[in-house]
């Protein structure tokens, strides 16, 4: 690699004050003692990922207590036709890797190897023979025909069709129809008895060789569920091998952090936000009262729920959004401080993007010097806060690298990029600043990167530090982007289901019943305990729609938009009325217009108040005075109504019919 050692040292000294930069040519071989000598209590970073296992082993042997990180500057910068101009990029990669990431919580599974092999023919039985020495097996055949009996009953072979399946590795629950066991005296073929529906079963692992419809959505992501086409021997062999390994304790990251008190799904049995429910590909999210519940055992970590959650109730934890944005900040600001221009942030996943970038470096021209690779666990977890922060910190373009045929549903990512494009256009960045590169070959990636326009980012990158929860980080990133935008704008209309917006409230039709206040999960709508008043704070509104669903007068309409002005953070008066004062004790209660409207209507329509001004005065009293007046003065006689009509009996109807009267009871007297 043609390294500018002095330039990298200067850039790292600015980005990482106090850091000591050393250069080596064979740190993993001839100069390995230099690495060992650097160990101790200090944090150590090696600009090589290929020999990371060797460095980790030496650090463990030496009892190293500090951090040990590695960063790839070779495939991402040094092995490139533009390597001589990649000094700023190399420094940026090092600075970003130095930002610590918090530990992620772990979800554990326990499997004792109780396995159900679900099939339709001899393929399932042959698979069971291969696994019988390792697993506790049961074979379930759906509508079997001419299945030869086994010589010895090493494992049960049953008949049945799975109607429903739930659960995950170590905890599957099945409902089976047409369930039956074979007769022990079966001769040429298994003879099953009469089937019964609704049989229940539990197991740790399911090996599905039925060739039918998968038992789970996004089945390839369900832990413990293995599925293969019975007509593909290689696929069956791979599934058998995987099943043989599913015994013991298994761990995975807890991908999503969820705070149910922030969830805006439901209030008072009215549904508001359902963004995550609509997008979860594996069915890990379900309603649970006023909020949703995320089954962490089923969650596969796509991050779609976190990307679209407007309140921050669901946030990605691998890593958290604030930690991720600190790393992005270090990447872009170091690049700018080192003299880099027009940076392109290439968001990618390790599983797909990293091998493609490596292949381009080894067999092609490598990444251009201005393209900064930024790895996420899942690109579908990309949120608007990350995109906004990237451009606020100086990015000129942001592209998401995906496969030509993505393995995950990309609707959440599409929403994020659409929202980001709308905001960027509204702030004067122009069109096409964000997009997707669908490439499975390094040549396709190189062609797409070469076609990107060479445009500048913001004139002065913002240096804010993202802190706090996801909603706060989102708001901060967008406001900082607005401050650095080429064209200042206060109001930007947004597409439907955006996480920000206004409420268009018809104040004339509002009766100040305040039902919307009790339904609002974020406190965007508030009342005043001392006066009949309704206020609205736009910054707090997440466009969940609970207020529109709750309002009895239907005078509230969602208005998705981004308000970058200071007024968005201030409560705005929607409506205020004069309170009605109790005619007995002068205590304020209700609104004057409402009390007078109700009293006027009752005085002309209700027998209890019509022509009875004393009774009508009760409507003008507070609850305490009304109770005192009724119980102590006896002014109101609840039984003073006119006599009720006599109840018509069968004899009355028969007598009327004989007299030739109509059958309509309203016409009978």
């Amino acid at each position: 690699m043609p390294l500018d050692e002095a330039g990298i040292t200067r850039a790292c000294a600015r980005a990482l004050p106090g850091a000591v930069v050393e250069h080596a040519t064979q740190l993993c071989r001839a100069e390995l003692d230099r690495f060992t000598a650097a160990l101790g209590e200090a944090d150590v970073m090696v600009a090589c990922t290929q020999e990371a296992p060797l460095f980790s082993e030496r650090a463990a042997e030496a009892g190293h207590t500090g951090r040990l990180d590695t960063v790839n500057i070779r495939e991402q910068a040094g092995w490139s036709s533009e390597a001589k101009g990649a000094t700023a990029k190399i420094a940026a990669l090092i600075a970003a890797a130095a930002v610590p990431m918090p530990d992620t919580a772990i979800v554990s599974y326990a499997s004792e190897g109780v396995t159900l092999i679900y099939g339709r023919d001899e393929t399932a039985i042959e698979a069971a023979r291969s696994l019988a020495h390792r697993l506790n097996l049961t074979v379930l055949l759906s509508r079997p025909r001419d299945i030869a009996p086994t010589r010895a009953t090493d494992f049960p072979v049953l008949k049945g069709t799975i109607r429903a399946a739930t659960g995950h590795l170590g905890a599957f629950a099945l409902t089976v129809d047409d369930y039956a066991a074979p007769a022990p005296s079966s001769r040429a073929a298994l003879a099953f008895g009469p089937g019964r529906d609704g049989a229940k079963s539990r197991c740790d692992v399911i090996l599905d060789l039925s060739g039918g419809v998968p038992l789970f959505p996004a089945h390839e992501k369900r832990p413990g569920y293995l599925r293969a086409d019975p007509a593909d021997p290689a696929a069956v062999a791979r599934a058998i091998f995987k099943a043989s390994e599913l015994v013991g304790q298994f761990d995975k990251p807890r991908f999503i952090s969820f705070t149910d008190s922030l969830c805006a799904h439901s209030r008072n049995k009215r549904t508001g936000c359902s963004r995550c429910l609509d997008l979860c590909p594996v069915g890990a999210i379900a309603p649970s009262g006023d909020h949703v519940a995320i089954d962490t055992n089923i969650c596969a970590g796509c991050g779609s729920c976190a990307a679209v959650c407007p309140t921050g109730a669901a946030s990605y934890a691998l890593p958290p959004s604030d930690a991720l944005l600190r790393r992005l900040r270090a990447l872009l600001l170091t690049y700018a401080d080192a003299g880099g221009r027009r940076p392109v942030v290439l968001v990618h996943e390790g599983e797909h993007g990293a091998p493609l970038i490596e292949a381009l470096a080894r067999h092609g021209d490598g990444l251009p010097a201005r393209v900064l690779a930024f790895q996420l666990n899942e690109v579908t977890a990309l949120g608007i806060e990350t995109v906004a922060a990237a451009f606020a910190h100086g990015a000129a373009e942001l592209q998401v690298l995906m496969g030509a045929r993505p393995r995950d549903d990309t609707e959440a990512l599409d929403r994020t990029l659409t929202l980001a494009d709308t905001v960027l256009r509204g702030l004067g960045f122009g069109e096409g600043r964000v997009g997707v590169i669908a490439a499975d070959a390094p040549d396709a990636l190189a062609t797409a990167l070469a076609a990107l326009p060479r445009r500048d980012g913001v004139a002065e990158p913002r240096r804010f530090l993202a802190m706090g929860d996801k909603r706060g980080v989102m708001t901060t990133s967008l406001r900082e982007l607005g401050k650095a935008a080429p064209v200042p704008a206060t109001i930007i209309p947004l597409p439907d289901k955006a996480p920000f917006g206004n409420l268009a409230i018809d104040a004339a039709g509002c009766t100040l019943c305040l039902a919307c206040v009790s339904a609002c999960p974020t406190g965007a709508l508030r009342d005043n305990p001392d006066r009949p008043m309704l206020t609205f704070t736009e910054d707090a509104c997440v466009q969940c729609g609970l207020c529109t669903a709750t309002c009895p007068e239907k005078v509230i309409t969602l208005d998705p938009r981004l308000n970058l002005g200071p007024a968005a953070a201030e409560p705005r008066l929607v409506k205020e009325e004069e309170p009605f004062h109790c005619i007995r004790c002068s205590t304020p209660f209700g609104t004057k217009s409402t009390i007078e409207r109700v009293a006027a209507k009752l005085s002309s329509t209700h027998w209890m108040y019509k022509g009875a001004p004393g009774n009508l005065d009760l409507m003008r009293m507070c609850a305490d005075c009304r109770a005192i007046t009724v119980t102590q003065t006896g002014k109101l006689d609840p039984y003073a109504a006119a006599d009720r009509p006599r109840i018509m009996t069968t004899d009355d109807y028969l007598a009327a019919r004989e007299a030739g009267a109509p059958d309509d009871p309203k016409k009978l007297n």
Side-chain angles (χ1 to χ4, degrees):
M1 292 186 292
L3 295 176
D4 176 8
E5 297 180 2
I8 294 174
T9 300
R10 286 194 301 271
C12 287
R14 287 194 298 267
L16 305 169
V20 177
V21 181
E22 298 185 17
H23 301 87
T25 55
Q26 285 195 5
L27 193 64
C28 57
R29 296 294 184 269
E31 299 174 287
L32 187 57
D33 289 342
R34 290 182 58 191
F35 169 76
T36 304
L39 296 172
E41 297 182 358
D43 296 336
V44 177
M45 177 181 294
V46 181
C48 173
T49 54
Q50 179 173 304
E51 299 297 335
L54 172 64
F55 295 128
S56 296
E57 181 181 345
R58 283 301 181 99
E61 292 174 354
H64 178 58
T65 57
R67 286 176 53 204
L68 175 60
D69 296 307
T70 59
V71 57
N72 183 343
I73 65 169
R74 188 176 68 182
E75 283 83 0
Q76 294 190 10
W79 281 356
S80 168
S81 61
E82 300 182 13
K84 291 183 179 180
T87 300
K89 178 180 180 178
I90 291 173
L93 292 172
I94 293 172
V99 176
M101 293 290 104
D103 294 333
T104 303
I106 296 298
V107 176
S108 296
Y109 301 91
S111 170
E112 297 180 357
V114 178
T115 303
L116 177 73
I117 299 182
Y118 184 46
R120 63 187 183 188
D121 51 27
E122 296 283 356
T123 303
I125 295 177
E126 289 300 322
R129 291 194 179 103
S130 301
L131 293 169
H133 65 292
R134 298 207 52 162
L135 303 175
N136 182 354
L137 295 170
T138 298
V139 176
L140 182 66
L141 301 177
S142 179
R143 302 179 183 87
R145 293 183 179 180
D146 300 329
I147 302 297
T150 57
R151 294 178 57 191
T153 308
D154 296 323
F155 45 81
V157 179
L158 307 169
K159 179 186 75 166
T161 299
I162 297 177
R163 184 215 308 165
T166 59
H168 48 81
L169 176 64
F172 285 109
L174 309 172
T175 302
V176 181
D177 289 342
D178 192 31
Y179 173 80
S185 58
S186 300
R187 187 175 180 182
L190 291 177
F192 293 92
R196 65 182 178 89
D197 295 340
K200 304 293 184 181
S201 179
R202 304 186 70 85
C203 61
D204 296 327
V205 180
I206 300 176
L207 176 55
D208 187 353
L209 304 177
S210 65
V213 177
L215 300 179
F216 301 98
H219 60 88
E220 67 280 356
K221 294 178 174 290
R222 182 69 58 129
Y225 177 70
L226 306 171
R227 184 173 181 270
D229 183 355
D232 185 349
V236 172
R238 288 193 296 270
I240 290 173
F241 176 76
K242 291 179 181 178
S244 69
E245 301 294 317
L246 294 181
V247 180
Q249 190 83 14
F250 302 89
D251 296 328
K252 74 168 185 180
R254 184 183 293 270
F255 298 106
I256 300 295
S257 297
F258 186 72
T259 307
D260 55 16
S261 61
L262 298 178
C263 182
H265 170 60
S266 175
R267 294 294 185 277
N268 302 324
K269 297 183 179 180
R270 295 182 183 274
T271 301
C273 177
S274 61
R275 293 170 174 88
C276 61
L277 288 167
D278 298 336
L279 294 180
C280 181
V282 296
I285 306 177
S288 179
D290 283 350
H291 53 82
V292 300
I294 300 179
D295 191 331
T296 56
N297 292 293
I298 297 175
C299 174
C302 73
S304 294
C305 57
V308 300
C309 181
T311 65
S315 60
Y316 210 66
L318 192 64
S321 58
D322 58 342
L324 183 71
L325 295 198
R326 286 195 292 272
R327 176 163 286 182
L328 181 63
R329 175 183 185 271
L331 179 75
L332 288 165
L333 293 184
T334 302
Y335 179 82
D337 291 343
R341 295 189 62 206
R342 296 168 176 164
V344 175
V345 177
L346 182 63
V347 179
H348 69 93
E349 297 173 356
E351 184 176 339
H352 174 263
L356 205 58
I357 293 171
E358 180 179 342
L360 181 61
R362 291 179 178 274
H363 308 292
D365 289 337
L367 291 179
R370 71 189 187 107
V371 175
L372 307 178
F374 189 67
Q375 182 173 318
L376 300 183
N377 186 60
E378 296 279 353
V379 295
T380 46
L382 181 68
I384 185 61
E385 70 281 356
T386 305
V387 181
F391 284 91
H393 290 315
E397 313 278 342
L398 185 143
Q399 297 291 318
V400 180
L401 176 58
M402 302 183 66
R405 292 185 176 181
R407 68 177 188 273
D408 292 322
D409 187 348
T410 62
E411 184 176 350
L413 177 61
D414 295 340
R415 287 190 191 179
T416 297
L417 296 182
T418 299
L419 178 60
D421 182 66
T422 303
V423 173
L424 291 171
R425 284 190 286 108
L427 293 173
F429 284 88
E431 297 185 359
R433 292 277 186 158
V434 294
V436 172
I437 296 177
D440 292 327
D443 290 344
L445 173 59
T447 301
L449 292 175
L452 292 176
R454 302 184 71 84
R455 296 182 284 193
D456 291 324
V458 298
E460 187 65 33
R462 304 295 296 179
R463 295 181 174 272
F464 69 97
L465 186 62
M467 299 181 68
D469 59 15
K470 180 177 179 290
R471 177 75 181 187
V473 168
M474 190 188 311
T475 303
T476 300
S477 298
L478 287 165
R479 292 203 181 283
E480 292 292 332
L481 177 61
K483 294 176 183 178
V487 179
T490 301
I491 304 295
I492 302 173
L494 298 180
D496 290 341
K497 298 186 178 179
F500 298 96
N502 182 37
L503 293 180
I505 303 177
D506 179 9
C510 175
T511 62
L512 287 177
C513 69
L514 303 180
C516 57
V517 173
S518 62
C520 182
T522 63
L525 289 164
R526 291 184 178 274
D527 61 351
N528 185 331
D530 298 323
R531 292 186 63 81
M533 180 188 297
L534 176 65
T535 62
F536 172 68
T537 305
E538 187 166 346
D539 258 4
C541 181
V542 297
Q543 300 284 286
C544 65
L546 279 168
C547 55
T548 61
T550 303
C551 178
E553 285 81 26
K554 304 302 178 187
V555 296
I556 303 178
T557 305
L558 300 181
D559 178 22
R561 70 181 193 180
L562 179 62
N563 187 345
L564 297 175
E570 298 296 329
R572 184 182 79 228
L573 179 64
V574 175
K575 186 171 185 178
E576 181 180 13
E577 286 194 20
E578 181 183 350
F580 188 88
H581 293 271
C582 175
I583 62 174
R584 188 172 184 271
C585 69
S586 299
T587 299
F589 75 100
T591 63
K592 187 175 182 180
S593 63
T594 299
I595 298 299
E596 290 178 347
R597 184 172 61 253
V598 172
K601 187 171 183 179
L602 291 176
S603 66
S604 61
T605 59
H606 198 283
W607 65 265
M608 189 179 293
Y609 303 99
K610 191 174 182 180
N615 291 350
L616 199 59
D617 284 344
L618 294 174
M619 298 301 304
R620 301 185 176 96
M621 297 180 187
C622 65
D624 292 340
C625 291
R626 191 179 305 126
I628 293 172
T629 301
V630 170
T631 56
Q632 293 184 356
T633 66
K635 287 186 176 180
L636 177 66
D637 182 3
Y639 304 104
D643 293 337
R644 293 185 177 184
R646 186 172 64 84
I647 298 176
M648 301 296 294
T649 66
T650 303
D651 292 340
D652 294 325
Y653 281 102
L654 294 176
R657 185 175 298 174
E658 292 178 358
D663 289 337
D664 187 350
K666 294 180 180 179
K667 297 180 180 180
L668 294 177
N669 190 351

